[in-house]
Amino acid sequence: MFFPSQNSSPSFKDFTLVMPAVAVGNVGQLAADLIVSTLDMSRVGYMHTDCLAPMAGNNPYTRRKGDAEELHTAAEVYTAAGRKLAVLQIRAPIIEIRSKKFIRLLLSWIKTSGFSRTVVLSSSHAHRRDDQQLRGAPLRYLATPSLLGGAADALEGLGWRDMERVTEADAEPRLSVPGGGITKRLFTESCAEDLPLAVLLRFCSEGDNVPDAFALANHLNDWLRLLDDPSLKQNTWTAPSSWSLLFGSGVPPALF
């Protein structure tokens, strides 16, 4: 599934993996863009699987002259080795009938690579919230028992709100992440396999989801302190060059 860019495969042992779920508003993917762009992360490989819709395009993180024409694909892995941080960016939809297979392949790669923890950036439909989910900021988290074993105090100190379980009729409360793509299944499978994994999500609606992405990235930064680095020119997120085309290239003057 994973193919390195160089002849030798990079070591991910004890790295933190951050990845998006392809979910409503593409908020997780946009937040992952902010991380890769701001930290000037290096591409170290890509994922090749029939579980993702095939796509290719120019470099979304153009930083210098001559690198805009680099070919980039549906799922790629970036690292900031000094921080022991890796980002798996997914740019294409997960084919629905192959989502279970994708999760199996993904969890297998995570286990064999030796990541110390995985953080999934996701989103959920704002209009599907129940009464208790309307309270407070529109940000929630989930954590597997394996991750809580070493991070419970840190998460508690942040004052974050755990994702509420919803109750329908007389049924038992259950986890529901409408619009979250593979989020729920990925979390439950990680619990079953005793993997340290956290989900950070934002309730949102489709539209201009750039503010949601900044909010989710800031939420992650409260925990991982990604912007606390003297090597950064400024302690703020840097949007990638590709975002200039999020809503098209503008109105052609020839129309008027």
Side-chain angles (χ1 to χ4, degrees), residues 142 163-166 173-177 184 187-188:
L142 292 163
M163 182 69 168
E164 297 91 346
R165 275 54 174 176
V166 298
R174 63 182 181 84
L175 176 63
S176 178
V177 189
K184 178 181 174 181
F187 175 73
T188 54

Side-chain angles (χ1 to χ4, degrees), residues 25-57:
N26 305 111
V27 177
Q29 294 155 292
L30 293 171
D33 268 352
L34 288 174
I35 297 168
V36 173
S37 179
T38 301
L39 302 184
D40 197 14
M41 300 178 76
S42 302
R43 181 174 58 169
V44 295
Y46 63 94
M47 298 292 189
H48 179 69
T49 171
D50 62 357
C51 301
L52 297 173
M55 60 80 64

Side-chain angles (χ1 to χ4, degrees), residues 103-173:
I103 290 173
R104 288 198 305 270
L105 292 172
L106 179 62
L107 293 181
S108 175
W109 175 66
I110 289 173
K111 287 190 289 187
T112 57
S113 297
F115 289 107
S116 62
R117 59 187 173 185
T118 300
V119 182
V120 179
L121 304 177
S122 186
S123 51
S124 183
H125 284 302
H127 70 274
R128 295 284 299 276
R129 287 176 291 177
D130 67 3
D131 289 347
Q132 60 182 337
Q133 292 172 339
L134 290 170
R135 303 188 186 102
L139 292 156
R140 296 294 187 273
Y141 84 97
L142 292 163
T144 64
S146 181
L147 184 135
L148 284 175
D153 291 341
L155 295 177
E156 184 178 350
L158 292 169
W160 286 359
R161 293 189 64 171
D162 191 14
M163 182 69 168
E164 297 91 346
R165 275 54 174 176
V166 298
T167 303
E168 296 180 0
D170 295 327
E172 289 291 324

